[in-house]
Amino acid sequence: MTTTTGPALDQALPITETGPATAARVRRRQRAKAVGVAVAASGVLYLGARAAGTDFVLTDPGATVSHPLILPEIIVFALVFALLGWGTLALLERVTRHAKIVWSVLAGTVLAASFIPVFLEQATVDTRVMLCLIHVAVAVALLPMLRHRRAR
């Protein structure tokens, strides 16, 4: 009988990782996916609304010049706020045991506050509705995915 050792044995037996390093990697992957879904959802909603005729033109109440929102702006805003949400949750996890609860309340507050500028700007009803839907889509993508629970 012969025994096999060395590289042949290493290839035959898969190595499964367990422990905190793997959990952290899974959590990062899940959160990166949440950011991607949030950005993609905002882009898809914008493109769909544009195709349906929404102009996405905003005018400050005191200004005479309007500003048409374009796809890169929508994507950058979604990406920045999604990454800020991820970073905030990561920071809270380092400083408190109740990070997910605190983050959820904070995220809900930020979502509610995000509607204020939509209604301060002069815009058509369909532009306002679509901007609100985009804000909600980003929140829907981030809230459950960033609150990923560890496997037990």
Side-chain angles (χ1 to χ4, degrees):
M1 177 192 283
T2 62
T3 57
T4 305
T5 60
L9 183 60
D10 292 341
Q11 291 174 356
L13 298 174
I15 299 173
T16 57
E17 297 180 36
T18 59
T22 301
R25 192 171 20 255
V26 168
R27 195 168 39 252
R28 275 193 308 273
R29 192 174 302 129
Q30 185 75 12
R31 291 175 182 179
K33 180 181 172 186
V35 169
V37 169
V39 171
S42 65
V44 167
L45 282 171
Y46 174 86
L47 291 173
R50 287 293 295 193
T54 302
D55 62 5
F56 285 99
V57 174
L58 303 175
T59 307
D60 286 334
T64 56
V65 178
S66 60
H67 175 75
L69 292 173
I70 58 176
L71 181 60
E73 288 176 304
I74 298 294
I75 288 173
V76 167
F77 272 99
L79 179 62
V80 166
F81 282 97
L83 290 174
L84 282 172
W86 181 358
T88 302
L89 179 58
L91 178 66
L92 286 169
E93 287 174 336
R94 292 178 184 259
V95 298
T96 181
R97 288 183 12 192
H98 305 290
K100 292 178 182 182
I101 294 169
V102 172
W103 187 88
S104 297
V105 170
L106 183 60
T109 304
V110 169
L111 174 62
S114 76
F115 296 130
I116 295 170
V118 172
F119 293 100
L120 290 179
E121 298 285 331
Q122 294 175 354
T124 61
V125 172
D126 56 337
T127 296
R128 287 183 177 159
V129 167
M130 286 312 302
L131 288 174
C132 288
L133 285 175
I134 289 170
H135 290 202
V136 170
V138 170
V140 166
L142 293 178
L143 280 171
M145 291 181 163
L146 289 176
R147 294 192 66 203
H148 175 72
R149 288 189 167 47
R150 293 183 193 136
R152 292 180 187 181

